[in-house]
Amino acid sequence: MISFDVLVIGELNVDIILDDIKGFPMIGKEILASELNVVLGSSSAIFASNLSSLGKSVAMVGLLGEDSFADLIKKSLQNKKVNTDFVVTTKKYSTGLTIVMNYGMDRANVTFPGAMEHLSTADITDEMLLSSKHLHLSSIFLQKGIKNEAIELFKRAKKLGLKTSMDPQWDPAENWDLELEQLLPHIDIWMPNVMEFKNITGTDTISAGIEKIKNYSNCVVIKDGVHGAHLWEKGKLTSKPAFLNSKVVDCIGAGDSFDAGFISEFVKGSSLDRCVEVGNVMGAINTLEPGGTAAFENIESVRIKAQEKFEFTL
Ligand SMILES: Nc1ncnc2c1ncn2[C@@H]1O[C@H](COP(=O)(O)OP(=O)(O)OP(=O)(O)O)[C@@H](O)[C@H]1O
Ligand SMILES: [Mg+2]
């Protein structure tokens, strides 16, 4: 039975954010920070939370340890009305976490992947897939257990009648090794940012990248920060400008919010042009508040922001 609009498979972790640090950490010394926030991290969770805030029913699949960070992650997702029945826990690994050291607009991060690397396609049952109309996978390079079997996973999802999308996100190892020719035929919407697109396709320009993959791709959406986004579909490449925000707080999660906006329209059956526009407006709304989820309380408040800040009717 279909219960959810979108099933999100992705990495889950806690962000431990230190602010106002007195200098840079040095080996053998101790310095102080004057602010601490412990919050839900990870691109997949931002995507799932914001898609849920836009009024879509969302279930999350991820792997957590059995510790207090796991409880925090589950509670934070549930507060955003994301279903966590399919989140798997294990005694074998600790929940992943990122320590974020903020220095003004810049930051230094240290990530312990922990459980997130060990989610495997065997954990994802047909029952889970059949619960949803659409499958979205994020951060493939962080999920080693999923990466090697992603082709089979997407094939299975398509066979079971789901629409599919993937945001690859950055490859921390910078190997960029995806078997695009085998993978992309099973992905309805591929959503890298422009740097990721060039790195993964091994090209220097968007048009050269498209030329390389066009014979086996469906729809490709390339996010391009302040330049908006590019859409390749049925042999045509078009671009839509960003909604410029002159008072950007930060851009953390803008890409995930773009994805949430795009997919919220895609599952409704809107045109791909409309999907890109809503993606762009959600990316811009994301930059109005700190972090990836603060600007997305609920659909009513997002509608008001879209209208008042960007003259866009949602
Ligand atoms: N400064 C900005 N002003 C307005 N809109 C923006 C701004 N930055 C990003 N956006 C919007 O957000 C979308 C996604 O941003 P971006 O291209 O940075 O994605 P990303 O690199 O995948 O982000 P992330 O770091 O969250 O993964 C853009 O396509 C654009 O529509
Ligand atoms: Mg991104």
Side-chain angles (χ1 to χ4, degrees):
M1 197 190 71
I2 293 185
S3 314
F4 305 107
D5 291 313
V6 181
L7 183 73
V8 182
I9 299 177
E11 87 291 13
L12 287 171
N13 71 281
V14 161
D15 278 352
I16 297 181
I17 305 170
L18 298 171
D19 275 309
D20 192 18
I21 309 168
K22 314 291 178 220
F24 294 95
M26 277 195 287
I27 291 166
K29 294 194 177 184
E30 181 164 346
I31 50 171
L32 299 179
S34 39
E35 226 180 287
L36 166 70
N37 282 298
V38 183
V39 296
L40 175 66
S42 86
S43 135
S44 306
I46 294 172
F47 170 78
S49 295
N50 292 349
L51 187 57
S52 176
S53 295
L54 294 177
K56 297 293 154 234
S57 52
V58 183
M60 182 88 215
V61 185
L63 185 64
L64 298 174
E66 293 187 2
D67 45 39
S68 52
F69 289 139
D71 297 339
L72 186 146
I73 287 171
K74 276 205 222 168
K75 280 214 182 83
S76 305
L77 287 168
Q78 287 159 2
N79 284 342
K80 291 284 186 171
K81 298 196 173 64
V82 175
N83 185 290
T84 58
D85 290 353
F86 301 145
V87 172
V88 188
T89 59
T90 173
K91 279 194 170 53
K92 258 167 85 182
Y93 308 104
S94 302
T95 299
L97 72 81
T98 297
I99 298 179
V100 182
M101 285 162 279
N102 271 334
Y103 292 93
M105 288 305 282
D106 227 328
R107 69 191 82 92
N109 290 1
V110 181
T111 291
F112 168 69
M116 77 171 87
E117 282 192 331
H118 300 282
L119 182 72
S120 111
T121 50
D123 296 317
I124 299 157
T125 62
D126 283 358
E127 184 206 352
M128 291 179 188
L129 293 174
L130 286 167
S131 73
S132 303
K133 290 187 230 168
H134 186 109
L135 170 68
H136 180 84
L137 173 70
S138 188
S139 307
I140 191 164
F141 298 106
L142 290 179
Q143 300 186 82
K144 300 209 165 97
I146 297 287
K147 182 171 168 285
N148 292 338
E149 289 169 31
I151 297 162
E152 287 310 311
L153 174 66
F154 277 110
K155 242 191 211 170
R156 184 150 60 96
K158 290 303 299 173
K159 221 174 179 178
L160 293 172
L162 285 84
K163 296 279 186 195
T164 57
S165 52
M166 183 181 81
D167 182 337
Q169 296 287 16
W170 196 254
D171 178 5
E174 300 197 33
N175 292 326
W176 305 106
D177 52 335
L178 289 181
E179 291 174 86
L180 291 181
E181 200 165 347
Q182 278 78 43
L183 191 58
L184 291 183
H186 311 292
I187 297 179
D188 293 306
I189 315 284
W190 188 41
M191 318 182 83
N193 72 20
V194 72
M195 285 298 291
E196 292 154 2
F197 177 79
K198 288 179 187 172
N199 280 314
I200 294 170
T201 56
T203 57
D204 293 333
T205 61
I206 291 175
S207 48
I210 291 291
E211 197 53 40
K212 205 162 168 184
I213 63 170
K214 66 180 185 187
N215 291 336
Y216 48 81
S217 292
N218 294 303
C219 168
V220 186
V221 180
I222 304 165
K223 290 163 282 179
D224 198 358
V226 289
H227 306 294
H230 315 280
L231 168 72
W232 184 83
E233 190 235 352
K234 296 202 179 110
K236 236 176 78 189
L237 185 64
T238 51
S239 301
K240 287 212 181 280
F243 290 83
L244 284 183
N245 169 20
S246 54
K247 290 190 188 129
V248 172
V249 177
D250 68 47
C251 294
I252 298 168
D256 308 308
S257 298
F258 175 101
D259 294 354
F262 186 104
I263 297 298
S264 73
E265 289 292 314
F266 184 72
V267 295
K268 276 202 287 197
S270 301
S271 72
L272 291 172
D273 278 349
R274 166 86 183 167
C275 294
V276 176
E277 278 174 9
V278 174
N280 277 335
V281 87
M282 292 308 149
I285 287 175
N286 183 109
T287 67
L288 296 170
E289 306 276 349
T293 57
F296 300 89
E297 267 169 19
N298 53 53
I299 183 74
E300 287 77 25
S301 71
V302 174
R303 268 204 188 107
I304 292 169
K305 281 178 198 160
Q307 197 69 56
E308 288 184 352
K309 304 276 183 191
F310 303 109
E311 292 173 15
F312 185 86
T313 307
L314 198 58

